Amino acid sequence: MSLKRPVAAVLTAALCLITTACADSSTEGRTNGDRTGAASRTGHPVTIENCGRNETFKKAPDRVVVMNGASVAEVSTLLALGLGDRIVANEQNYGMSEVPGRAEAVKALPTGHIELNDAYDIPREAMLGLRPDLVLSTTSYGFDEKNGFATRDQLGQVGANTYVSPQGCDQDTSKTTIADSYTLLRDMGKIFGVPRRAEKLIAASRSHIDEVAAKVKGRKPPKVMVLFSNMSMGGNDFSSVVAHGIYNDILAKAGGANAFESASRTAFADLSKEKVAATDVDALVVIGYHDPDPAAYARKLLKEFPQWPAARKNTFVVLSDSMYLGPSNDLAVRKIARMLHPDAF
């Protein structure tokens, strides 16, 4: 999941233009190029409670390592806040994005030229060799010594703070909501001394989602199947079907409901073709991950189950990183709502 090459200044600048994060960079957190004596301006030291630990940041980090974690939440959040130049190694990559320019910006970030382990992530010795001052992990798995990773205590001993994203402490992301995306933004804003940038992004996202929710309020929620294209996570024909997590919150805000919510207690359901065929599906959300043509997968699925209302009406949408924990959930809400309730827009 890692890609190479150092971050290009032109992409960082371009990302500033396509988000609101950099609009007030001249007045908040002058930590680029003026990092000495900046504590009073950035609010440091800052203490964040995280998974039962207190992490104190004496200054804004400038050697950040982003672990893989099968996520794109952390790197997208840093880029949305205009902090790409702080990353010395990023192992997250999605290959596509609803935000123009973001996939290219992620691809351009440095990877640290690390030989990844079997989990496609950074082993202990390589991590310590990067000399990070902040390591971000989607869940506590990334700091588990049994998996060959540097622990939070080991990283603390070499001067590195650590952070596990919301709902990741117990490695159960089935309870994640859009509010957790805001928590991640807000925490990063505090840690890096740019809280106003974070609050600006949060306010914009809430406003966009509230606008959509008002348009679809009171309408009957269609039953939606959410799954990853061409991806296997279990032993059955359909093992990448979403059951719980932030996906359901996004669906609800868009005026929909998960057709397979009761199929599993965990984030994903591992389903047989017969179970899928027996379920009414009014609409399809296909999440593309490094898939060159997820729309083709969606059309194939609709052809395979012609009895679905979704197939009869050809109702589907393809999304990517906006369906994850991260700064762009409002884009997913709007796109899904337009698919489910086109006459409301």
Side-chain angles (χ1 to χ4, degrees):
M1 286 188 177
S2 62
L3 285 179
K4 303 150 177 97
R5 294 182 178 80
V7 64
V10 65
L11 281 174
T12 302
L15 203 64
C16 285
L17 292 176
I18 60 176
T19 69
T20 59
C22 304
D24 56 355
S25 61
S26 62
T27 57
E28 180 188 21
R30 284 182 178 272
T31 52
N32 291 337
D34 182 22
R35 295 175 185 171
T36 58
S40 61
R41 289 192 295 274
T42 62
H44 289 85
V46 170
T47 298
I48 300 288
E49 193 281 326
N50 184 245
C51 296
R53 297 171 61 103
N54 287 325
E55 292 282 332
T56 298
F57 298 80
K58 297 179 181 179
K59 64 180 183 66
D62 57 11
R63 291 190 60 82
V64 183
V65 174
V66 184
M67 299 190 74
N68 184 341
S71 178
V72 75
E74 293 74 28
V75 70
S76 295
T77 297
L78 293 181
L79 288 173
L81 288 168
L83 299 168
D85 66 328
R86 309 303 181 84
I87 298 172
V88 295
N90 168 58
E91 305 308 333
Q92 294 183 351
N93 186 275
Y94 210 79
M96 54 191 72
S97 175
E98 273 72 73
V99 178
R102 179 174 290 160
E104 293 77 12
V106 171
K107 184 177 180 179
L109 290 169
T111 65
H113 304 290
I114 299 299
E115 184 177 343
L116 303 180
N117 60 17
D118 291 341
Y120 299 99
D121 223 326
I122 305 174
R124 180 188 301 107
E125 293 306 317
M127 175 67 76
L128 297 176
L130 289 168
R131 297 181 294 106
D133 57 9
L134 172 62
V135 179
L136 302 178
S137 180
T138 303
T139 72
S140 57
Y141 177 89
F143 299 120
D144 191 334
E145 191 169 24
K146 296 192 302 293
N147 301 319
F149 298 120
T151 68
R152 301 186 77 172
D153 286 339
Q154 288 168 347
L155 287 163
Q157 290 167 8
V158 297
N161 287 106
T162 49
Y163 180 89
V164 175
S165 289
Q167 302 300 334
C169 298
D170 58 1
Q171 301 182 39
D172 179 10
T173 59
S174 65
K175 302 179 185 68
T176 308
T177 67
I178 294 171
D180 293 311
S181 292
Y182 299 154
T183 297
L184 178 57
L185 270 167
R186 186 170 285 119
D187 283 350
M188 292 301 106
K190 292 176 182 176
I191 288 169
F192 286 91
V194 290
R196 282 186 292 174
R197 294 187 201 175
E199 295 302 329
K200 202 169 184 177
L201 288 169
I202 292 168
S205 175
R206 280 181 169 154
S207 176
H208 297 156
I209 291 174
D210 288 347
E211 180 185 352
V212 171
K215 290 180 182 293
V216 301
K217 185 178 180 181
R219 292 170 176 258
K220 182 180 179 180
K223 296 178 181 178
V224 184
M225 181 183 192
V226 182
L227 79 168
F228 287 77
S229 62
N230 295 306
M231 183 178 292
S232 177
M233 299 183 185
N236 284 293
D237 292 326
F238 293 89
S239 58
S240 65
V241 177
V242 168
H244 298 282
I246 195 170
Y247 319 94
N248 289 6
D249 194 16
I250 289 170
L251 288 179
K253 298 291 194 302
N258 190 335
F260 294 94
E261 183 173 3
S262 62
S264 175
R265 293 183 180 180
T266 58
F268 293 94
D270 186 7
L271 305 176
S272 66
K273 183 176 180 178
E274 291 73 21
K275 170 65 176 176
V276 171
T279 304
D280 284 334
V281 174
D282 297 315
L284 191 63
V285 174
V286 170
I287 305 175
Y289 171 72
H290 286 290
D291 187 338
D293 195 356
Y297 177 82
R299 288 189 290 269
K300 176 184 174 184
L301 201 58
L302 294 177
K303 187 176 181 180
E304 186 176 359
F305 299 99
Q307 73 276 19
W308 285 349
R312 294 196 297 270
K313 298 179 181 179
N314 195 37
T315 308
F316 75 92
V317 68
V318 171
L319 295 170
S320 57
D321 61 343
S322 64
M323 287 294 286
Y324 269 79
L325 180 76
S328 308
N329 299 147
D330 57 315
L331 300 181
V333 170
R334 178 172 292 278
K335 286 179 178 288
I336 294 172
R338 285 182 177 274
M339 172 187 66
L340 298 179
H341 307 285
D343 57 329
F345 294 87

